[in-house]
Amino acid sequence: SAIAWPIVGRFKAHHGRLGCYMIPIAGTTNSGITFFVWTQRFIRKLALEGVTEGWAFKRSDGTRAKAGDYWEDIASKLEVIQRTTKLIDPAVDVWNDYGVQRSGRRFFTTHCTIMGIAKHVVELQARWQTDRANGERTIQRNMIHTYSEVRNMKEILKRPSQVI
């Protein structure tokens, strides 16, 4: 099984215009994480709070939250983990050495490489490769990116999340 994770935002490859990507994620990973179950729980919690439309992660004024809005909470939790376990080296300054803006992309590409996920599968999940044409940024896709039908590629596109 798989779920679709909508990624909405302003992407560099689209001149900063708002866009949306649907990324298939394995319903259950090899280590037993049940994304589908946790996604359903999250949706039910939002519904109980009366949230049935709009941004899942939003600020108190209703505008879309950004990753940086959660940084203080995340960093303080990392400090607790660092202080109470051996998972984070004591020499690491979690406030300066970690960050939420690109950490997800770094983790994704690093983990896929370690787990032997084919480069073209990683690129299919991250279709924002760009080039410079006539001094302007344009989207440049190869044959696989241009003609692959994402809706029919669930099995291959969920591989990166499945190996977690």
Side-chain angles (χ1 to χ4, degrees):
S1 70
I3 61 170
W5 179 32
I7 303 296
V8 178
R10 298 188 187 286
F11 299 95
K12 292 177 190 174
H14 292 183
H15 305 286
R17 290 188 306 263
L18 193 63
C20 179
Y21 292 92
M22 299 298 281
I23 299 175
I25 297 177
T28 303
T29 67
N30 290 347
S31 64
I33 297 170
T34 52
F35 280 118
F36 186 74
V37 170
W38 285 101
T39 301
Q40 292 297 336
R41 288 176 181 167
F42 179 64
I43 291 168
R44 277 196 302 276
K45 182 181 183 313
L46 289 174
L48 287 171
E49 295 173 0
V51 179
T52 58
E53 60 184 40
W55 302 109
F57 298 96
K58 57 187 170 185
R59 296 177 175 146
S60 58
D61 66 359
T63 59
R64 179 178 58 94
K66 295 183 179 181
D69 294 339
Y70 302 100
W71 176 235
E72 188 173 323
D73 186 47
I74 293 168
S76 62
K77 285 179 175 54
L78 289 173
E79 283 184 318
V80 171
I81 292 168
Q82 184 181 40
R83 199 171 46 252
T84 60
T85 72
K86 295 182 184 208
L87 295 173
I88 301 174
D89 188 308
V92 171
D93 178 356
V94 296
W95 288 89
N96 292 313
D97 295 342
Y98 287 91
V100 293
Q101 299 301 332
R102 292 194 174 115
S103 293
R105 286 175 280 187
R106 283 188 184 126
F107 168 77
F108 177 78
T109 54
T110 302
H111 187 69
C112 287
T113 301
I114 292 167
M115 298 307 293
I117 301 297
K119 180 181 177 188
H120 74 277
V121 175
V122 175
E123 295 296 334
L124 281 168
Q125 285 284 32
R127 293 178 172 212
W128 38 79
Q129 176 184 0
T130 61
D131 75 339
R132 298 272 181 190
N134 299 323
E136 294 185 23
R137 185 171 267 175
T138 60
I139 299 172
Q140 190 65 228
R141 294 183 175 167
N142 61 29
M143 292 292 282
I144 290 173
H145 293 142
T146 301
Y147 297 106
S148 297
E149 181 56 57
V150 174
R151 290 176 296 181
N152 298 327
M153 296 177 55
K154 179 178 79 171
E155 290 306 312
I156 195 166
L157 290 174
K158 71 180 184 179
R159 287 181 192 168
S161 63
Q162 200 165 27
V163 297
I164 295 174

